Amino acid sequence: MFVLLLILITVLFGFGFLDPIWWVAAAVLVYAATRRGRDRGGGRSRGGSSDLGDYRDYQERRSRQERWDRRYSRQNRARWRREDRRDREHRRYP
């Protein structure tokens, strides 16, 4: 994909010697490609908000996982103990 984009920019730049509007088209394409790469995480944004947003997403995901783990373990703790006790008793008396 990147190679095709580079070829297209080169061709548009070459057509710019025939008509300057092609140089404008090539410049717009270069600008759009660099902005798209920057928004996807290809570079640092000016405000640095993308890194902060990524960290906030990570924090939210981690807190949801911790809440789920606490809830799940609390609900099933007694069942796990019964199963463990049964397993120990079963091994003791074959």
Side-chain angles (χ1 to χ4, degrees):
M1 178 69 181
F2 180 73
V3 174
L4 293 175
L5 185 65
L6 192 60
I7 291 171
L8 181 63
I9 291 169
T10 306
V11 168
L12 289 176
F13 183 77
F15 281 150
F17 290 108
L18 300 174
D19 191 8
I21 195 73
W22 293 110
W23 279 336
V24 174
V28 168
L29 192 59
V30 167
Y31 177 76
T34 56
R35 292 298 292 175
R36 181 174 159 251
R38 191 174 300 147
D39 291 343
R40 255 191 358 204
R44 289 191 68 112
S45 63
R46 289 184 188 166
S49 62
S50 66
D51 293 338
L52 185 59
D54 291 342
Y55 183 69
R56 284 184 182 152
D57 291 341
Y58 165 75
Q59 276 185 325
E60 286 179 26
R61 189 172 56 247
R62 186 173 172 182
S63 66
R64 275 187 308 218
Q65 183 65 41
E66 287 175 356
R67 282 195 309 266
W68 174 258
D69 290 342
R70 281 195 308 265
R71 186 179 305 134
Y72 184 75
S73 66
R74 199 175 334 138
Q75 288 175 351
N76 295 307
R77 192 175 299 153
R79 182 175 56 88
W80 289 341
R81 286 180 183 159
R82 281 193 308 269
E83 290 175 358
D84 288 344
R85 194 176 326 127
R86 244 184 271 140
D87 288 342
R88 282 193 303 267
E89 289 172 0
H90 183 67
R91 278 184 286 185
R92 214 179 294 163
Y93 305 111

